Amino acid sequence: MRIRSLVFIAVVLAGAAGAFFLVWRPEIPVQAQAQAQSFDPALIAKGRELAAVGNCIACHTVPGGEAFAGGLAIPTPFGTIHSTNITPDRETGIGGWSLAAFTRSMREGVDRAGNHLYPAFPYDHYRLVSDADNEALYAYLMTRAPVRQDALANDLVFPLGFRPLIAGWKLLFLEAAGFTPDPSKSQEWNRGAYLAEGLGHCGGCHTPRNALGAQDPDRHFAGGEAEGWQAYAINASSPAPIPWDREALAFYLRHGWHELHGVSRGPMAEVTGNLAGLPDSDIDAIATYVADVMGEPSTERRQQAERLRQDVGAPERTGGDADTLAVPPDVAGMPGAALYAAACATCHESGRPLPFGGLDFRLSTAVNAPSPQNIVTVTLFGLPPADGEASSVMPGFAGALSDQQVADVLAYMRTRFSSGTPWPDVAEMTRRTRSGEHKVVVRPSDGIERAPLNVGVEIGP
Amino acid sequence: MTIATSRRAFLLGSGALVVSFSLGAEAQEGEVQAGTSAPQPTFTAIDNDRLDSWIRVDANSHITVFTGKAELGQGIRTALTQVAAEELEVAPGEIELITADTGRTPNEGFTAGSMSMPNSGTSIRKAAAQMRRLLVEAAAQTLAVAPESLTLQGKQIRSGDRALSYGEVAAALNLEVPLAGDPALKAPDTLTVIGRDVPRLDIPGKVTGAPAYIQDMRLPGMLHARVVRPPGYGATLTQVDTSAIEALPGVVGVVREGNFLAVIAEREFQAVTAMRELARRARWSAGTELPEQAEIHNVLRGLESEVGTVAEEGDANPSGDKVFEARFTRPYQMHGSIGPSCGIARLEPDGTLIVWSHTQGVYPDRAAIAEMLGMEPGRVRVIHVEGSGCYGHNGADDAAADAALIASRLPPGRPVRVQWMREQENAWEPFGPAMSITVRGAVTNGRISDFTFDLWSNIHTTRPGGAGALLAARQKSGPATPNTPRLQISPSGNGDRNANPLYTIPNKRILWHFIPDMPLRVSAMRALGAYANVFALESAIDELALLAQADPVAFRLAHLEDERARAVVQMAAERFGWETATRGPGRGKGFAFARYKNLAAYLAVAVEVEVERETGRTRLVRAVAAIDSGQAVSPNGIRNQTEGGILQAASWTLYEAVTFDRREITSVDWSSYPILRFASVPETVEVHVIDRPGEPFLGTGEAAQGPVAGAIGNAVRDAIGLRLTDLPFSRQRVLAALTAG
Amino acid sequence: MTVKLKVNGAVHEVDADPATPLLYVLREDLELNAAKYGCGLGQCGSCMVLVDGEATLSCVVPILALGEREITTLEGLGTVEDPAPIQSAFIELQAAQCGYCIPGMMMSAQALLQRNASPSDQEIRDALRTNLCRCGTHMRILAAIRRASEMMSAGAPSNRRAG
């Protein structure tokens, strides 16, 4: 009895010690006043590029607020998380963080004081970032304007407000730090993989998550969700009518649009907006890697794409008669046909090239995607204009079209411009999106959208 | 011209031509009622030098005032009415004002150059004063009293309890008299209407949906036309099959004459639909190749043909250890009125032609249209009807010419309305010219000692002037050719406007490197060359102040002798809190001054800007301006115009550039030509008016454009320590400058 | 083809192609002037009207989409003699230069004020994000909308005509 009790106590203590070992992280002492001048300008410049790859500004800035001062509410299935202040303010930001503390946060998801951070901060990707790059990022962030702004409290479902639980999540899902190059691939490919899987954290949106919010490694890049938008599959199952290739990806990442794919919008607009400042070599590297993940399209898909390309590329597709864009009679009789012709075709069949003309829907990934969520969102809310710079603009039709009318016009487009199966319950999805039951963040298509003069809108409560 | 036969019968058969112009009763007056009154072979000429050409009082005491100037959205209608009301001792609402109409009003050239108050305001005031004197003298005679004993009130002339109405007196008078040279005006301290904020007469109607613009005109039997313009400058129409177009619902006909292509329909949207189809079918030759946009300023400098000396004093040779030198550039920028241009025309049964237009110059436009159609100018009448805001030579004259050409090919009595599409306005309006300026200045003993200013520019005025100024005339068969631009140095300036600094500088040389060739169509845009010149000049002054280690405001004052110039500078600085203003992170303050044309309104402005370092976005946070437009007729009107000038100039300065590829203009809508939006509108804009009772009217509309650009540039310099020299200060450009350090 | 439209409280039968954008029918068939053609692309806001209370760009909405829905134009809010608060406010603050964009501005503001009578400055700016003004009247437009908000908060009915 006594021995059993002792064993029991020993086991409990050992478990607690183990748990303690697992959970506990030491505080890293506050560092002395950072010397902004002590950073090499070249290091800061490199950090600027890397921060752009990481899209740091997007989550760490409230539209209209100070850059990097945090406070943005990030909705997750587990509640709302608020981003933190990563300006070098000593009281409320990371001004007191040493490089070691910064690097630990990037690799282990632990703040300077030793608290576990929620994986909304994508340290499951950032763990791959090299020492040199962390140093550059650190130099960049430490030379931003300090902003005194306290972090907002998170609002999570019980018991997730208890941070030590994150340690368990990490035990299950967080892999070791460091990027291991694949020697069988080119240097460019490896550079791309390092950027896309690490700082770029493409999978954060484009890889589906499991019930515990971790990315499913078996469905890498198979399509996910971000801020109410569908992040399309960017692996072999990409729904793009014309398969992406390295050149198209590079152009898209650089410019935020591609003539055969359309314009970036929603959260992707921020990504492309930020990448605009990146050297061509890095853009090309990411494109090389992602194109390789997508793989070579099948012969059938390639042939289909080639036919489509020729159709679309024909300069006078409306040659002789009033409207020779062939519409099969059964499609022409659909209830959405007239709506499409009157409300959509004016821009989308004008022949005006992208990025300011409307995309030919035969090229639209949205029309060919498994879920109509994105095209429902764009139909309702359009692409709002960017502030003070050229951007693709589309008027929203929320005021003009009922839920059923949206469903009708999208059913017509799905039938006419895609070989996909009809989408179910589009009217209900439209209702939920319109009412904000499904929350979606709508922004202009010009990038760097979380900057202070953002004119985007948040739909929903 | 081809007109579908089924439609022709309809066209010719509709004879109801009683004009009822829905813009209001005043516009109907004097209209020819075709078929009922005898045909008038020509419209009567108006004599500028006769009193009754400017002002009439009828037997019912109804007062009508005529101006050759046009309402462009600047509120001139109200200010001119105030001026007449003042001298005639009536409420402004008692005056009917007829604006620019070659059939009714004096010829006052163009409504441009902020000259409406100096020209028409002065003329109307004098005419009203003369009318008042004539009425008072006649009444004094009738009543047998001394003129000085009479009082004027309620359109009556009173002596004790005896009163004569204006109408009674006027009916007995011969008012067909020459204009008096210098009638006595009311003394400044007796003014009751001038200098008061009279509510704008047009606003109640405009905010309740009353017809207010040419776009709102509906004439009986009116047809709608749309023009199909070439894809680029100089492209020629090689082939078009119009038969399918003519079969479209509502289409009345297609006009094809040379490279001029248009479609006419019964309903407006039918015309739009037909235009789109017609555009798809039209085949054009490749047009004139455009320069590489990125190289435009070098290309333009290479086209220089001659050099004009704008000003030269002493022997300017900026040298020494305190020299500033920089090249400033301004891109092509567009007027971009929110309502695209519109023109309406109707051929009368007597063969005369009436054209309704939002042109700035009804008389010059009449001459150009008459020349295009081979008509006597007296057989064309051009009537101004307000359009969307006008900031210079936009598409108005061209739309009028489009309508005139089409109407001239239709049977008499069928009015036709041509509405330009947004993309047509943006691609075909004449732009504000691209300019580049090289400035060199030297500071010696704390003062500017030497200053050279070399500007490269096209001419800024290609208005009618001849049919060659009209797109339709250039595109139709037997095309007209534009006038060859000539370098001319004038006191008020053109491309060289405000290039000559008003500051006291012993040695200066100001040169206009004249560029006759115009790769892009250009003409007058608010302030002409003054926008870019003041931007460059005021930027340079700040840099020279820095070299002199002087405060920018104090430095300006040290070089300004004109007391009125000093007054606006001091007031703007004081109201802004120039000396006490503290600088928040990313923020800077900037100052600038100019006297428009060096002979019109004085304006100084202080601004605060914010530069977002992470993105390069630059925002005007607040602006405080002081303006002296001479005697202020409508202080609130001056504030309104100046606030507008500040915000429009901020938009030009921060965002705007026409874009083009080698073939065509590509900034053809608001997604590709961004302008100021509400998200970036400043927190506050203050305009302080310095009234100068008894001084001449100096005009207001364009005074802010240059100073605002200079002040923003100087504020950005203050905020980030970098001098930006290329307009606009786009986000990408500012970010690039910040990144390069 | 005859299409029925409910505009400013009255049902109108118009003989027009159902694909015609609402803007053209309002202006040509109903002879309403307030909604203006500015771009035809839904980019400038000059053509703004209310459809069931929601700000809607009439230049891109075909009439066939509208059915029984209630369309309100600026004319439906009030008259010179009996102006709605938004109209009184624009007159009081002289919030126009050329005035071409103003009806569209007022309709965007009206939609906002009908759902939120006391909006913040940021909410006003956001509600006007589609609307462009070229004369630079923005400061007065903002002030007039704040003034209208005060009037409506003080209990003035937002709409003098169509109820």
Side-chain angles (χ1 to χ4, degrees):
Chain A
M1 183 73 181
R2 187 181 162 85
I3 288 173
R4 283 184 63 193
S5 294
L6 281 174
V7 169
F8 176 75
I9 289 166
V11 167
V12 167
L13 280 175
F20 181 78
F21 180 72
L22 177 68
V23 172
W24 183 81
R25 289 292 180 275
E27 175 173 356
I28 296 178
V30 171
Q31 69 163 2
Q33 193 70 41
Q35 296 295 312
Q37 301 88 333
S38 67
F39 295 107
D40 178 0
L43 191 65
I44 298 170
K46 185 182 167 198
R48 173 189 295 278
E49 287 175 11
L50 292 166
V53 176
N55 203 19
C56 311
I57 197 170
C59 286
H60 285 282
T61 309
V62 173
E66 300 286 347
F68 298 115
L72 185 77
I74 297 163
T76 75
F78 313 103
T80 301
I81 290 176
H82 290 99
S83 64
T84 53
N85 182 345
I86 55 169
T87 71
D89 180 63
R90 289 181 67 80
E91 316 300 322
T92 61
I94 60 169
W97 291 34
S98 61
L99 174 60
F102 178 77
T103 303
R104 183 176 73 173
S105 74
M106 293 286 281
R107 298 206 168 139
E108 298 179 35
V110 173
D111 73 8
R112 188 199 57 78
N115 300 306
H116 288 281
L117 298 169
Y118 290 100
F121 176 50
Y123 46 79
D124 49 341
H125 292 274
Y126 292 170
R127 67 184 175 85
L128 301 180
V129 177
S130 70
D131 283 341
D133 283 356
N134 274 325
E135 200 184 332
L137 277 166
Y138 179 75
Y140 172 70
L141 290 173
M142 287 312 210
T143 49
R144 299 306 91 200
V147 178
R148 193 181 173 84
Q149 181 172 302
D150 282 310
L152 296 169
N154 296 326
D155 179 18
L156 296 167
V157 295
F158 180 82
L160 297 178
F162 185 61
R163 285 183 183 266
L165 290 174
I166 304 168
W169 188 93
K170 288 177 180 172
L171 188 65
L172 292 169
F173 302 117
L174 184 62
E175 293 176 45
F179 174 74
T180 312
D182 180 343
S184 72
K185 303 285 190 181
S186 70
Q187 203 179 342
E188 186 179 49
W189 186 98
N190 275 300
R191 174 71 182 160
Y194 168 75
L195 290 172
E197 297 297 344
L199 261 183
H201 66 286
C202 308
C205 300
H206 286 280
T207 298
R209 292 176 186 270
N210 64 21
L212 291 175
Q215 288 160 41
D216 180 349
D218 297 334
R219 293 190 289 157
H220 184 230
F221 285 1
E225 198 190 305
E227 295 184 288
W229 294 79
Q230 294 288 308
Y232 300 125
I234 50 170
N235 60 11
S237 57
S238 157
I242 292 189
W244 288 95
D245 58 23
R246 177 181 175 275
E247 284 64 40
L249 279 165
F251 187 95
Y252 179 84
L253 293 174
R254 161 71 69 225
H255 299 285
W257 62 276
H258 186 272
E259 57 174 348
L260 300 177
H261 296 277
V263 297
S264 67
R265 61 197 174 210
M268 191 63 195
E270 297 168 340
V271 175
T272 55
N274 279 315
L275 292 181
L278 216 59
D280 284 341
S281 57
D282 281 349
I283 295 266
D284 290 346
I286 296 172
T288 298
Y289 171 70
V290 175
D292 187 58
V293 173
M294 287 181 165
E296 281 293 305
S298 67
T299 312
E300 188 199 345
R301 191 157 177 242
R302 204 165 39 229
Q303 284 169 347
Q304 258 176 9
E306 193 44 45
R307 278 196 300 277
L308 178 53
R309 215 171 166 146
Q310 278 168 6
D311 278 3
V312 171
E316 302 302 337
R317 65 179 201 212
T318 49
D321 292 314
D323 188 357
T324 56
L325 236 180
V327 184
D330 54 330
V331 182
M334 291 177 71
L339 273 174
Y340 169 83
C344 314
T346 311
C347 290
H348 286 275
E349 293 186 18
S350 73
R352 187 177 177 204
L354 257 53
F356 303 121
L359 180 70
D360 185 320
F361 284 117
R362 290 173 295 179
L363 299 171
S364 165
T365 302
V367 173
N368 285 277
S371 160
Q373 181 64 60
N374 288 0
I375 200 153
V376 164
T377 300
V378 173
T379 305
L380 287 176
F381 307 124
L383 297 177
D387 188 72
E389 55 193 297
S391 68
S392 307
V393 177
M394 176 184 144
F397 285 83
L401 301 180
S402 67
D403 296 339
Q404 189 54 50
Q405 285 171 326
V406 171
D408 286 346
V409 81
L410 295 185
Y412 170 80
M413 284 161 58
R414 178 76 164 174
T415 309
R416 186 173 153 202
F417 300 116
S418 163
S419 52
T421 52
W423 290 310
D425 302 327
V426 178
E428 171 61 9
M429 177 183 275
T430 306
R431 187 195 63 74
R432 284 167 43 79
T433 307
R434 185 198 297 270
S435 68
E437 249 173 80
H438 175 81
K439 186 172 168 156
V440 57
V441 182
V442 180
R443 295 202 198 83
S445 57
D446 71 320
I448 317 192
E449 304 316 334
R450 295 260 166 75
L453 297 180
N454 182 291
V455 291
V457 286
E458 281 215 4
I459 307 300
Chain B
M1 160 135 191
T2 54
I3 289 196
T5 40
S6 60
R7 310 285 179 199
R8 183 179 294 149
F10 165 76
L11 259 181
L12 294 173
S14 62
L17 284 174
V18 179
V19 176
S20 69
F21 178 35
S22 62
L23 278 179
E26 73 280 1
Q28 290 180 34
E29 214 175 279
E31 289 280 1
V32 180
Q33 291 217 345
T36 56
S37 59
Q40 300 290 311
T42 58
F43 298 103
T44 320
I46 313 294
D47 182 352
N48 275 22
D49 297 327
R50 251 173 48 180
L51 176 63
D52 62 335
S53 297
W54 295 90
I55 189 161
R56 289 180 203 169
V57 178
D58 74 10
N60 298 320
S61 298
H62 183 77
I63 303 168
T64 312
V65 172
F66 301 86
T67 173
K69 299 293 184 181
E71 177 62 59
L72 306 179
Q74 81 280 46
I76 200 66
R77 185 177 270 280
T78 307
L80 291 176
T81 304
Q82 277 179 269
V83 165
E86 179 71 66
E87 294 294 341
L88 289 167
E89 304 290 357
V90 297
E94 298 281 2
I95 300 216
E96 181 190 353
L97 182 76
I98 306 296
T99 59
D101 174 352
T102 63
R104 304 182 76 189
T105 67
N107 180 357
E108 293 196 84
F110 294 102
T111 306
S114 303
M115 290 304 290
S116 293
M117 289 312 292
N119 290 350
S120 206
T122 305
S123 298
I124 288 173
R125 189 167 177 201
K126 285 182 178 175
Q130 183 183 357
M131 177 66 77
R132 170 198 171 110
R133 194 189 68 204
L134 291 174
L135 293 174
V136 167
E137 282 172 357
Q141 212 161 25
T142 308
L143 299 171
V145 295
E148 305 80 57
S149 69
L150 295 170
T151 54
L152 279 65
Q153 198 188 6
K155 294 205 273 189
Q156 288 191 325
I157 306 169
R158 291 174 178 275
S159 171
D161 55 359
R162 293 185 301 163
L164 293 170
S165 75
Y166 284 7
E168 282 174 78
V169 182
L173 268 178
N174 174 19
L175 296 173
E176 297 177 6
V177 296
L179 271 181
D182 233 343
L185 304 177
K186 284 178 71 177
D189 58 354
T190 63
L191 301 181
T192 57
V193 185
I194 287 178
R196 298 292 155 86
D197 285 331
V198 172
R200 280 256 304 260
L201 305 170
D202 54 337
I203 290 180
K206 285 176 175 175
V207 301
T208 50
Y213 307 92
I214 187 170
Q215 287 89 348
D216 302 334
M217 274 180 68
R218 296 176 193 90
L219 298 176
M222 187 168 79
L223 297 167
H224 292 272
R226 287 293 184 281
V227 178
V228 174
R229 292 246 117 88
Y233 300 127
T236 55
L237 182 59
T238 55
Q239 187 203 331
V240 60
D241 174 12
T242 60
S243 56
I245 306 301
E246 282 155 5
L248 288 173
V251 169
V252 173
V254 173
V255 180
R256 181 189 175 182
E257 295 192 18
N259 299 312
F260 183 85
L261 186 61
V263 60
I264 311 163
E266 284 159 26
R267 293 175 57 93
E268 185 166 12
F269 192 64
Q270 291 170 336
V272 174
T273 308
M275 171 203 71
R276 290 189 186 134
E277 292 303 331
L278 188 58
R280 288 181 196 209
R281 283 168 173 75
R283 299 289 174 270
W284 303 85
S285 73
T288 318
E289 188 173 68
L290 298 176
E292 186 71 51
Q293 185 175 353
E295 287 300 310
I296 187 63
H297 296 294
N298 293 332
V299 169
L300 289 174
R301 284 192 178 205
L303 297 172
E304 170 186 334
S305 71
E306 57 182 315
V307 180
T309 302
V310 179
E312 187 159 23
E313 280 171 34
D315 181 18
N317 181 25
S319 58
D321 56 353
K322 290 187 171 174
V323 171
F324 170 73
E325 175 170 358
R327 181 173 108 153
F328 295 86
T329 66
R330 177 248 180 139
Y332 294 102
Q333 293 175 319
M334 69 174 70
H335 303 84
S337 296
I338 295 300
S341 295
C342 181
I344 299 176
R346 185 180 63 208
L347 192 62
E348 301 297 280
D350 64 8
T352 59
L353 183 73
I354 303 183
V355 182
W356 290 267
S357 170
H358 52 114
T359 175
Q360 286 177 282
V362 286
Y363 280 91
D365 204 25
R366 177 181 71 161
I369 287 170
E371 184 189 332
M372 171 180 78
L373 298 175
M375 293 173 72
E376 286 297 316
R379 290 172 61 76
V380 177
R381 176 178 176 188
V382 178
I383 303 172
H384 180 270
V385 186
E386 194 178 345
S388 177
C390 170
Y391 324 104
H393 180 194
N394 55 21
D397 299 306
D398 299 305
D402 291 341
L405 180 58
I406 296 167
S408 74
R409 306 307 191 245
L410 281 168
R414 287 314 297 266
V416 64
R417 175 181 181 271
V418 176
Q419 167 72 66
W420 278 18
M421 307 301 285
R422 167 54 53 200
E423 56 273 24
Q424 294 174 334
E425 186 81 18
N426 284 23
W428 287 95
E429 68 151 79
F431 304 122
M435 288 173 66
S436 66
I437 296 148
T438 297
V439 187
R440 290 179 73 204
V443 167
T444 311
N445 299 326
R447 294 187 61 86
I448 308 169
S449 55
D450 294 79
F451 189 82
T452 63
F453 192 98
D454 289 76
L455 72 106
W456 280 260
S457 177
N458 286 140
I459 198 166
H460 286 242
T461 41
T462 64
R463 305 169 183 282
L470 303 171
L471 287 179
R474 284 192 225 170
Q475 289 169 349
K476 77 179 187 58
S477 33
T481 46
N483 294 334
T484 307
R486 303 242 178 269
L487 171 64
Q488 202 182 351
I489 304 295
S490 65
S492 58
N494 186 292
D496 58 332
R497 183 167 287 176
N498 278 90
N500 184 16
L502 214 61
Y503 302 104
T504 304
I505 302 171
N507 304 299
K508 64 180 176 183
R509 186 172 57 251
I510 318 298
L511 302 177
W512 179 0
H513 300 256
F514 187 73
I515 304 163
D517 294 338
M518 293 173 271
L520 270 67
R521 186 181 188 214
V522 296
S523 192
M525 180 153 140
R526 199 172 187 176
L528 308 192
Y531 170 66
N533 290 332
V534 174
F535 163 63
L537 171 59
E538 288 295 293
S539 297
I541 295 295
D542 254 40
E543 292 296 331
L544 295 171
L546 279 170
L547 289 173
Q549 293 177 308
D551 171 77
V553 172
F555 190 71
R556 283 177 172 80
L557 287 170
H559 289 80
L560 277 176
E561 288 163 22
D562 185 330
E563 281 307 321
R564 289 171 71 175
R566 298 174 62 85
V568 292
V569 168
Q570 284 162 336
M571 179 176 272
E574 183 198 325
R575 297 297 171 95
F576 180 83
W578 181 261
E579 285 173 18
T580 54
T582 51
R583 187 166 67 189
R587 295 206 172 185
K589 62 179 181 178
F591 199 91
F593 157 81
R595 182 182 189 193
Y596 186 51
K597 303 185 212 172
N598 286 349
L599 43 78
Y602 300 84
L603 186 138
V605 62
V607 304
E608 181 177 358
V609 304
E610 181 177 58
V611 180
E612 167 59 33
R613 283 187 162 267
E614 307 309 332
T615 64
R617 279 201 174 114
T618 302
R619 185 171 70 97
L620 179 60
V621 177
R622 67 184 179 112
V624 178
I627 181 167
D628 169 357
S629 305
Q631 168 110 48
V633 173
S634 171
N636 194 32
I638 293 172
R639 281 197 297 276
N640 197 358
Q641 276 284 283
T642 307
E643 287 167 22
I646 290 169
L647 292 195
Q648 188 181 68
S651 180
W652 294 357
T653 303
L654 295 173
Y655 312 126
E656 297 183 30
V658 169
T659 60
F660 48 93
D661 58 23
R662 303 307 294 268
R663 221 171 62 98
E664 61 189 3
I665 306 299
T666 52
S667 48
V668 295
D669 65 357
W670 298 122
S671 65
S672 47
Y673 190 83
I675 64 172
L676 178 70
R677 288 182 180 276
F678 273 95
S680 299
V681 164
E683 288 158 19
T684 58
V685 174
E686 283 175 38
V687 176
H688 301 282
V689 177
I690 299 182
D691 190 9
R692 299 286 184 186
E695 293 289 336
F697 307 139
L698 294 180
T700 296
E702 297 158 292
Q705 308 309 107
V708 167
I712 291 176
N714 291 336
V716 169
R717 171 77 164 85
D718 187 44
I720 64 173
L722 299 169
R723 171 60 60 188
L724 300 185
T725 56
D726 296 312
L727 295 170
F729 302 159
S730 64
R731 180 176 80 70
Q732 290 82 356
R733 204 171 249 164
V734 174
L735 186 61
L738 282 166
T739 308
Chain C
M1 186 178 164
T2 303
V3 178
K4 277 189 187 173
L5 287 176
K6 204 170 164 193
V7 181
N8 298 333
V11 176
H12 299 264
E13 287 197 7
V14 296
D15 183 19
D17 179 347
T20 307
L22 174 61
L23 174 68
Y24 291 95
V25 172
L26 292 176
R27 294 185 60 83
E28 197 168 358
D29 296 85
L30 307 187
E31 301 201 357
L32 296 168
N33 301 298
K36 300 278 193 272
Y37 172 77
C39 67
L41 304 163
Q43 293 180 352
C44 76
S46 309
C47 64
M48 200 70 85
V49 299
L50 305 186
V51 175
D52 285 345
E54 191 154 347
T56 300
L57 295 156
S58 66
C59 76
V60 291
V61 180
I63 51 173
L64 69 94
L66 291 160
E68 301 274 282
R69 274 178 281 177
E70 177 68 56
I71 298 153
T72 308
T73 72
L74 184 62
E75 288 92 341
L77 300 185
T79 60
V80 174
E81 295 73 30
D82 188 17
I86 191 77
Q87 292 166 320
S88 302
F90 272 71
I91 295 170
E92 181 185 322
L93 293 174
Q94 296 283 290
Q97 288 183 57
C98 83
Y100 196 90
C101 71
I102 296 296
M105 297 277 177
M106 294 169 77
M107 297 315 282
S108 290
Q110 180 74 14
L112 169 69
L113 295 174
Q114 281 180 195
R115 64 173 186 270
N116 175 6
S118 306
S120 67
D121 187 60
Q122 194 52 49
E123 285 168 326
I124 295 173
R125 287 172 184 243
D126 208 39
L128 297 174
R129 83 182 154 272
T130 315
N131 293 84
L132 292 175
C133 167
R134 189 56 167 156
C135 294
T137 319
H138 305 73
M139 305 310 297
R140 288 175 184 235
I141 293 167
L142 291 173
I145 295 169
R146 284 192 290 269
R147 179 78 188 98
S149 159
E150 288 167 17
M151 291 164 145
M152 285 163 71
S153 303
S158 73
N159 182 340
R160 312 296 301 202
R161 300 189 73 199

